[in-house]
Amino acid sequence: MNHKFLLFLTPVFLAGACDLKKTVDNEVKTGKAAVSEEKMPDLGHVGHDHYYTCSMHPNVRESEPGKCPICNMNLTKVVLENDEPETTQAKDHTEAPGVSIAKVKLKKSQMEHFKPGVFSVSSMKMSKKVRLLGSVMQSEEKESTVPARVSGRVEKVFVRSMGSFIQKGDPVVQFYSPKLISAGQEYIVSRKSYEESKQDDFKDLMNQAGERLESWGIKRFQYESWYKKNKVPDRIVIYSPATGIVRKHNATVGRYLKEGQNIFELSDLSEVWVEMDVYEHDSAIVKLGQELNLKFSASPSTNVKSEVDFIAPILDSRSRTLKIRATIPNPKGVLKPGMIAEASLNVIFDGEPLVVPRTAIINTGKRKVAWRRLSEQKFQAQVVETGHESEGFVEILKGLEEGDQVVMDGNFLLDAQAQLFGGYSDMTSDAPSHNHQ
């Protein structure tokens, strides 16, 4: 019989406990159990020398012992001293820069151990060194080709392979082309006729034939030699019009090339590009003409000064970086495409903005807060809006005035004090609820 009675009572007690827990949870969610600042007893004016609070919800303060209205824990007695620290909430719950969101007053005994570092808000010229990583590239402005300016067949190749260095005026191929032979013979005939008759018509024909040969890549000394010998050779040498390293080799003996096809593609490395990546958060401060200091891993002794001469118009969506570029001279060919480059970009900001040390700003993710010292024992938390960072300092756009005393060492202790005693204006809404069973 007793066992049956116990079995009957067990689900009843469990159901009652669940209902009680649901009631407490509903009260927490709906805010019925929350103790607002208006309902909180004014202990300082009614002569009380103590109050009762919850260790898990310090914003709860009662004049009599009892249970916490939020989590139902026993309230703890706190005895007030004459210089009891005060922690008050701001009435304005907005988060606009300059708004005070908490005030803290510390006891004299606390001040004996709390020695905050204070900085006076002031204006200064800001500069920043941005570290960049990049690589050496071929300059597209220095790329060139040795084209077949007239159709013909390759009879001999003077350039061995890719990577060979060619200077302007070096012979590259020997070419058989009926067009070149006909133009050469026309030059010889028209020049002979002009020298015999001195007629302007023959002179015009001679000049036109010479211009046509030069436009097809034939040097003046070549067709002058043909005239002296009174014969145009079947195999005509083509000379390079540019200097560079062969990066593409299209010439093989016996190959027929059409007009406009490239015999060789060249890269002139006397001038190279260095392309670098700038992270998104620094992309807005990069401008054309800014000074760059470059170092190269493969050549540690090579230090080059240059400037930014190109900024990509589009941010890379994958790497979240912006491409910038500098052009540097490379007369000895020490720098090779693909080499790693380390650069530092010197940025000087306009004007002299208000600044504070970086350590004076507490970034909660939701807002940025700076603690102002109002007096020896009183401190106030203010929302601030920040700008650029430079050499350990942060630009203040809004929220502080010149001369304000801000805490740069010890502000996290003030922040903890405000959170423990419910000083922040949104602590009640932001703090997680605690359920104790």
Side-chain angles (χ1 to χ4, degrees), residues 2-20:
N2 291 336
H3 293 293
K4 291 182 179 180
F5 181 72
L6 289 174
L7 290 174
F8 173 76
L9 288 179
T10 300
V12 173
F13 287 139
L14 290 175
C18 292
D19 290 339
L20 178 61

Side-chain angles (χ1 to χ4, degrees), residues 149-170:
R149 299 185 182 182
V150 64
S151 58
R153 186 177 66 246
V154 177
E155 296 293 333
K156 187 177 181 180
V157 181
F158 298 103
V159 179
R160 293 185 177 181
S161 62
M162 287 192 300
S164 299
F165 179 71
I166 298 175
Q167 287 187 329
K168 184 177 181 179
D170 285 351

Side-chain angles (χ1 to χ4, degrees), residues 223-239:
Y223 59 79
E224 290 284 353
S225 174
W226 299 344
Y227 172 74
K228 291 177 182 178
K229 295 178 181 178
N230 197 27
K231 183 181 179 181
V232 179
D234 293 337
R235 298 178 176 183
I236 299 173
V237 176
I238 303 298
Y239 294 88

Side-chain angles (χ1 to χ4, degrees), residues 87-343:
T87 304
T88 60
Q89 296 181 0
K91 294 181 180 180
D92 189 353
H93 287 202
T94 63
E95 295 184 8
V99 171
S100 172
I101 56 174
K103 290 183 179 179
V104 169
K105 180 183 177 183
L106 300 179
K107 296 188 298 182
K108 292 180 180 179
S109 59
Q110 290 175 316
M111 291 302 298
E112 292 178 0
H113 304 283
F114 180 61
K115 304 296 182 183
V118 178
F119 179 85
S120 180
V121 180
S122 57
S123 59
M124 64 176 285
K125 190 73 176 177
M126 296 185 73
S127 62
K128 184 176 183 179
K129 282 190 177 182
V130 182
R131 302 292 179 183
L132 305 172
L133 193 65
S135 60
V136 179
M137 298 177 59
Q138 298 172 6
S139 173
E140 293 179 6
E141 296 174 353
K142 291 293 183 177
E143 291 180 355
S144 57
T145 61
V146 181
R149 299 185 182 182
V150 64
S151 58
R153 186 177 66 246
V154 177
E155 296 293 333
K156 187 177 181 180
V157 181
F158 298 103
V159 179
R160 293 185 177 181
S161 62
M162 287 192 300
S164 299
F165 179 71
I166 298 175
Q167 287 187 329
K168 184 177 181 179
D170 285 351
V172 289
V173 292
Q174 209 172 55
F175 217 51
Y176 169 76
S177 173
K179 277 189 177 182
L180 287 178
I181 294 172
S182 296
Q185 290 173 345
E186 183 181 342
Y187 174 79
I188 293 173
V189 172
S190 59
R191 182 171 177 176
K192 281 184 178 181
S193 299
Y194 170 71
E195 289 183 352
E196 289 175 359
S197 63
K198 300 297 181 180
Q199 292 183 10
D200 292 337
D201 293 339
F202 291 117
K203 183 179 180 181
D204 291 339
L205 289 173
M206 178 189 71
N207 290 335
Q208 290 174 7
E211 290 174 359
R212 194 180 308 117
L213 287 169
E214 289 182 8
S215 68
W216 287 343
I218 305 303
K219 303 293 183 183
R220 185 178 184 85
F221 77 86
Q222 288 180 280
Y223 59 79
E224 290 284 353
S225 174
W226 299 344
Y227 172 74
K228 291 177 182 178
K229 295 178 181 178
N230 197 27
K231 183 181 179 181
V232 179
D234 293 337
R235 298 178 176 183
I236 299 173
V237 176
I238 303 298
Y239 294 88
S240 174
T243 299
I245 295 172
V246 178
R247 60 185 179 89
K248 197 166 184 181
H249 192 294
N250 298 321
T252 54
V253 175
R255 182 176 181 179
Y256 186 86
L257 297 174
K258 294 181 181 180
E259 183 178 349
Q261 278 188 285
N262 289 331
I263 307 173
F264 301 102
E265 294 181 15
L266 308 179
S267 292
D268 184 1
L269 299 181
S270 62
E271 194 173 78
V272 293
W273 286 348
V274 178
E275 190 173 78
M276 294 148 285
D277 293 319
V278 179
Y279 287 111
E280 185 174 4
H281 63 268
D282 288 326
S283 60
I285 63 176
V286 179
K287 296 179 182 178
L288 293 174
Q290 287 175 332
E291 184 181 343
L292 278 168
N293 293 317
L294 296 158
K295 293 183 179 181
F296 302 90
S297 301
S299 181
S301 60
T302 304
N303 295 326
V304 181
K305 285 188 176 182
S306 186
E307 62 180 32
V308 179
D309 57 23
F310 173 79
I311 301 174
I314 300 174
L315 191 81
D316 190 322
S317 59
R318 291 186 178 181
S319 63
R320 310 305 303 171
T321 57
L322 185 70
K323 297 286 185 184
I324 67 170
R325 192 171 63 219
T327 304
I328 59 176
N330 186 34
K332 297 181 180 179
V334 175
L335 302 176
K336 315 291 184 186
M339 284 184 174
I340 299 298
E342 297 177 7

Side-chain angles (χ1 to χ4, degrees), residues 119-127 349-361 370 384-398 400-406 408:
F119 179 85
S120 180
V121 180
S122 57
S123 59
M124 64 176 285
K125 190 73 176 177
M126 296 185 73
S127 62
F349 298 106
D350 297 331
E352 294 187 1
L354 296 178
V355 297
V356 296
R358 186 185 293 124
T359 56
I361 304 298
V384 295
E385 183 179 337
T386 61
H388 299 297
E389 293 190 19
S390 169
E391 306 296 333
F393 289 90
V394 180
E395 178 185 7
I396 298 296
L397 301 177
K398 295 179 182 178
L400 294 173
E401 300 292 337
E402 188 168 6
D404 286 347
Q405 300 292 307
V406 294
M408 60 180 181

